[in-house]
Amino acid sequence: MKNTIAAIATILVFALMAWTLSKGGAYHGGEHAKGIGSFADATTTTQAAPSEKSDEEKETDQLRALKDKAGNIGAIKVSMEYKSKCAACHGANGSGEQDGRKLMGPKLYGQSADKIYKDLTDFKANRKENVIMRGLLINTSEEELRKFADEIGEFPSRAAETNK
């Protein structure tokens, strides 16, 4: 049945292609293209030389550069394990955002280590449903979960030390 439907659809497509070709080809200079005109008839335009940025654009660029610098100054040091397993969804500092965009994972920054540990064990035991978290944590030991929780719980104090 599937093969029959596929064969009929193929024959129909080829028939429509032949019919379009016999009518002059709408997209190849046929009757329908006459209203538009030829590309050769069109006048060529020269590209304008790039204009210099206005003062406002320059100030905006400088402000953006300062914001980027300030964001990097406030960056906290995290472990390679956090970077490899958590940062893609929760952000490099657990904010749940990166470059002003909300990421897939929720904000972790400011949560206590005990709450994080409980959530991690719930994800691992499938008491909280999240396929991504379960996949990341399925081969993780309880000791590693505690280490992640402690590290994430320290983010506010690490940020305070960094910003001194």
Side-chain angles (χ1 to χ4, degrees):
M1 183 67 180
K2 289 180 185 179
N3 291 336
T4 305
I5 293 171
I8 291 171
T10 303
I11 292 170
L12 180 65
V13 167
F14 280 115
L16 288 172
M17 287 171 50
W19 179 74
T20 303
L21 184 63
S22 71
K23 296 294 181 182
Y27 300 106
H28 298 287
E31 220 175 283
H32 302 289
K34 289 180 184 170
I36 297 173
S38 168
F39 284 113
D41 297 339
T43 59
T44 58
T45 58
T46 58
Q47 292 183 347
S51 61
E52 196 171 312
K53 290 184 178 181
S54 68
D55 289 338
E56 185 177 337
E57 290 173 332
K58 288 179 184 176
E59 288 176 11
T60 303
D61 289 343
Q62 288 174 344
L63 183 60
R64 186 175 298 123
L66 284 172
K67 284 182 180 179
D68 289 342
K69 186 177 180 182
N72 291 335
I73 290 171
I76 55 178
K77 296 205 184 299
V78 295
S79 66
M80 286 306 292
E81 292 83 14
Y82 178 84
K83 286 180 185 177
S84 66
K85 287 195 175 193
C86 310
C89 296
H90 298 284
N93 60 359
S95 67
E97 293 182 359
Q98 186 168 340
D99 298 328
R101 295 179 317 212
K102 178 129 177 61
L103 294 174
M104 183 184 345
K107 177 181 176 181
L108 300 176
Y109 187 90
Q111 294 185 27
S112 71
D114 292 332
K115 178 171 181 354
I116 297 287
Y117 179 73
K118 181 183 180 324
D119 289 345
L120 289 174
T121 55
D122 286 348
F123 283 125
K124 183 177 178 182
N126 211 21
R127 289 187 290 266
K128 279 188 168 186
E129 283 191 39
N130 187 316
V131 176
I132 296 170
M133 289 294 292
R134 178 149 169 80
L136 286 170
L137 300 174
I138 199 155
N139 293 324
T140 308
S141 69
E142 298 297 318
E143 182 180 308
E144 290 173 310
L145 292 179
R146 176 48 74 182
K147 187 175 153 188
F148 277 127
D150 290 342
E151 179 179 3
I152 295 167
E154 292 175 359
F155 282 179
S157 61
R158 289 183 185 184
E161 288 176 12
T162 303
N163 292 329
K164 282 185 180 179

